[in-house]
Every structure is written in structure tokens, then in C-alpha cells.
């Protein structure tokens, strides 16, 4: 088909979708994982005080963001 450019190497086309900033990709992956876990935990949690929410619902999201920032970049490096 004229006008379409096909890559001959599958690794080249896979690397086009690779993240540019590995640190940011890890941070956002960790925050997303922590937020999903906190949401699931929050559905069953009967305590709604501000201290409890800050320590047991928000802090794990920040911690998972830090863990993702450190752990993910070596895993997604091309």
C-alpha cells in the first residue's frame, strides 16, 4: 500500500511506544498502583477520621510512588 511505512524490525516498532522519562513512568506507575490499592482498601474501611485517612490511605500512595520511581526504571529500560 503506497504511503504506509512498515518497520522490518519488531523491536523498533515496540521501542516507539517506550516511555521517554523512565523516572516519571515509574513514579506514575507507583502512584496508580497505590491509588488502586487505597481505593480497594477504602471501600471496606469504616474509619473516616482525617488522621486515619492521611496515614492509611494517602501515605501508602506516596510510598508506592517512591517505590515505583526506584523499581520501575530498570524494568522498562530498552
Amino acid at each position: 500500500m503506497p504511503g504506509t511505512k512498515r518497520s522490518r524490525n519488531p523491536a523498533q516498532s515496540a521501542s516507539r511506544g517506550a516511555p521517554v522519562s523512565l523516572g516519571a513512568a515509574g513514579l506514575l506507575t507507583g502512584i496508580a498502583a497505590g491509588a488502586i490499592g487505597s481505593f480497594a482498601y477504602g471501600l471496606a474501611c469504616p474509619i473516616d477520621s482525617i488522621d486515619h485517612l492521611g496515614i492509611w490511605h494517602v501515605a501508602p500512595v506516596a510510598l508506592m510512588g517512591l517505590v515505583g520511581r526506584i523499581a520501575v526504571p530498570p524494568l522498562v529500560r530498552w
Side-chain angles (χ1 to χ4, degrees):
M1 189 179 255
T4 59
K5 183 178 178 183
R6 290 194 173 184
S7 174
R8 294 181 184 164
N9 185 355
Q12 284 179 336
S13 47
S15 68
R16 287 188 193 140
V20 176
S21 173
L22 300 178
L27 179 69
L28 293 175
T29 301
I31 289 173
I36 291 169
S38 182
F39 174 75
Y41 179 67
L43 288 176
C45 183
I47 304 169
D48 62 353
S49 71
I50 193 72
D51 298 334
H52 174 79
L53 290 175
I55 294 170
W56 295 107
H57 294 271
V58 177
V61 175
L63 181 65
M64 288 304 296
L66 180 63
V67 169
R69 171 69 176 92
I70 295 168
V72 171
L75 300 175
V76 296
R77 185 160 292 143
W78 286 88

